[in-house]
Every structure is written in structure tokens, then in C-alpha cells.
Amino acid sequence: MKIKRKVEIAVISDVHLGTYGCHAKHLLTYLNSIEPKKLILNGDIIDIWQFSKRYFPKPHLKVIKKIMDFASEGVDIVYITGNHDEMLRKFSGTSIGKISIVDKLVLNLDGKKAWFFHGDVFDVSIQNAKWLAKLGGWGYDLLTLLNRGVNWYLEKRGKERYSLSKKVKNGVKGAIKYINDYEKVISEIAIENGYDYVVCGHIHQPKMEIIENKSGQTTYLNSGDWVENFTALEYQFKRWKIYNYNKDKLAPFVVGDEFENLEINELIAAITIVEQEKKKKKKKKKKLDD
């Protein structure tokens, strides 16, 4: 029997299901290894901007199935909308069973206030030139596709994986300044509003840092992504940590499960079964109450 880690809160963001850059199998390995009380999906889980009917492979559907399984098992699922899944914002405030859709979230964690949001509202490039941001997204997708070929070759040679997009980001002074400004602005607003933790995503840069100014301090947390960093945030025993797939290997928790051999249409049917069962239980309960 596989022993899973109990986690009070797990936070993932920037999965970008439906794109070539998404590493759904890595994410599934991680999700199969934990038993969270609450799972926070902090934006850009499904990439609606770049969604294509031609590309949505089985592992991507399995991630959705796993999230639905968590909900059916009683895990609170909070879907915080991002810019790549902004179409869901018209459903903000909606709840279906254990799954709720929001634009932001505030939680009291052991006497401390935590502020959760995706982070795109602080991105001027997206607010003022969305078409340019989308164009950049397609270029990023092309870069990650090229990176897959490079990493396939490196792994065959027994060498370490390499991230082209990281190299580009780290080599551009403007990108570094943008990231630093993003973190500073968000942290200052969190301090002004009395939040002990500010938790976001969006910039694909996992980080945990205490940031101070003359008005006080806050802990800035970024969950990173499942495109190049393969990271998540976990809250347990009154503390936060960054989970890193590349460093915290989970060999016992393989991707394969009872759905491994299902065809795509069967997998989609398996996802809908959860909702069908919920409806049946509600009808049964209503009859008993009547």
C-alpha cells in the first residue's frame, strides 16, 4: 500500500493544460503522492488562450480526473482564475459540490492571514496589450517544444535537463527587473492590508521570502509552474514549504493507475461519472428529507 503525505493545503498554478509545454505526468505523480485537506488551483490551470481541439492528450485529462477524484473524496478545491483561464471569471463565486471558483481568496491559517490570487492583475503588459501577451505565450510554447527535443537528447546521453526559457529569462536584465518589481509591488500591498502571507503564481518563478518595509513585513510565496520548474506550495504544521519535483523525487508514486489503459472517450466518461454520482446522492437526500 502506498503511503501518501498528509498536507493541510497544497497550491499549484500555471499548469497550462492543453499546451505542449505542460508536464502533466509530473503533476500527476505529485498529486498521487499527497492527501490534501484543501487544494488551491492558483490560475492558468487550463490554458484557454491557446486551447486547441487537436491537442489535449490523455495525461492532461488524467489531471482533471485526479482533481475531480479529490473533490469526490471530500477535499476542498478552490479554483482561482488567472489570465490564461480568464473566461472562467464570469463564473466567479460559483460552487459545485466541493469545487469553488473565485478570483481571490483570504484564509486564516493558525491566526495568520493569507491572501491568494493569481497575479496577472499586477501585470501591466497584459492589462494594456493583451494581444502582445498572447503572442508572447505562443512564442513561449514554441520554445518549450524545442526544449523538449533538447532534453530528450540530453537524457539519452545521461546528462541533466536544461531549461532554455530559464536561460533566456535569467539573461535578460529587463526580465529580472520585471520579476523584482512584481514581487515588490505585491508584497507592499500585502503589508499595507495586514496580510501575513501573500500567495501567487503567474510569473513561473517559485519563491518564498520574507519581505520588509517601514510599514511591516509579509511572507511572499510563489507556487512556480508545471512547465519548467515543476513546483508547488505546501502548508503543514504551521509552516510553508516549496515542493520541487526535480529535488523531491517520488519514485513510489508512478503515474500509472486504474485509468492507464482507458481510451480518451472512456476517460472523459470517467470524469463525468463523479458529477453524475453527486446528482444521484442529492436526489436521494431530497427524497429522504421530503
Side-chain angles (χ1 to χ4, degrees), residues 10 24 34 113 130-131 136 143 185 190 219-220 223 236 267 271 277 287:
I34 60 172
K113 287 170 69 179
K130 193 171 288 184
W131 67 269
L143 189 63
V185 169
T219 300
Y220 168 85
S223 46
Q236 181 76 337
L267 191 55
I271 291 170
E277 289 300 317
K287 282 181 180 179

Side-chain angles (χ1 to χ4, degrees), residues 63-248:
V63 169
I64 296 173
K65 174 68 175 65
K66 183 63 185 178
I67 292 169
M68 299 292 285
D69 284 347
F70 273 147
S72 67
E73 291 161 8
V75 177
D76 287 322
I77 309 291
V78 182
Y79 196 125
I80 300 174
T81 57
N83 52 300
H84 283 255
D85 45 23
E86 64 181 352
M87 285 178 68
L88 295 176
R89 284 179 176 159
K90 59 186 174 184
F91 301 109
S92 184
T94 303
S95 292
I96 306 170
K98 283 286 186 177
I99 302 174
S100 57
I101 300 173
V102 298
D103 294 332
K104 59 187 176 181
L105 177 70
V106 175
L107 293 177
N108 188 310
L109 303 177
D110 299 300
K112 293 186 176 182
K113 287 170 69 179
W115 180 30
F116 299 81
F117 58 94
H118 181 62
D120 58 293
V121 291
F122 295 98
D123 191 337
V124 177
S125 69
I126 287 177
Q127 298 303 314
N128 295 339
K130 193 171 288 184
W131 67 269
L132 190 61
K134 288 183 180 181
L135 187 63
W138 291 322
Y140 185 78
D141 219 28
L142 183 61
L143 189 63
T144 53
L145 195 58
L146 176 62
N147 207 161
R148 280 196 169 187
V150 171
N151 283 329
W152 176 84
Y153 175 76
L154 290 173
E155 286 175 353
K156 287 288 183 183
R157 298 288 298 273
K159 295 184 179 181
E160 194 175 338
R161 293 171 63 88
Y162 184 81
S163 175
L164 290 172
S165 54
K166 267 189 184 179
K167 186 69 177 175
V168 170
K169 281 180 186 176
N170 294 338
V172 179
K173 287 183 180 179
I176 295 170
K177 184 180 183 301
Y178 162 74
I179 290 166
N180 290 338
D181 289 348
Y182 174 90
E183 294 169 352
K184 184 183 176 184
V185 169
I186 284 173
S187 298
E188 285 180 349
I189 293 171
I191 292 168
E192 284 175 18
N193 288 278
Y195 294 117
D196 300 286
Y197 306 117
V198 55
V199 189
C200 55
H202 184 55
I203 57 172
H204 294 211
Q205 293 288 315
K207 192 171 184 177
M208 180 168 63
E209 182 182 4
I210 295 173
I211 295 179
E212 297 179 87
N213 63 21
K214 61 183 180 181
S215 302
Q217 70 173 43
T218 191
T219 300
Y220 168 85
L221 295 138
N222 195 299
S223 46
D225 66 283
W226 289 88
V227 175
E228 56 188 349
N229 290 297
F230 319 142
T231 52
L233 290 169
E234 296 178 352
Y235 182 79
Q236 181 76 337
F237 305 123
K238 298 183 181 182
R239 67 183 182 90
W240 285 98
K241 68 165 278 189
I242 296 175
Y243 166 84
N244 190 313
Y245 180 89
N246 290 322
K247 294 176 182 176
D248 305 323

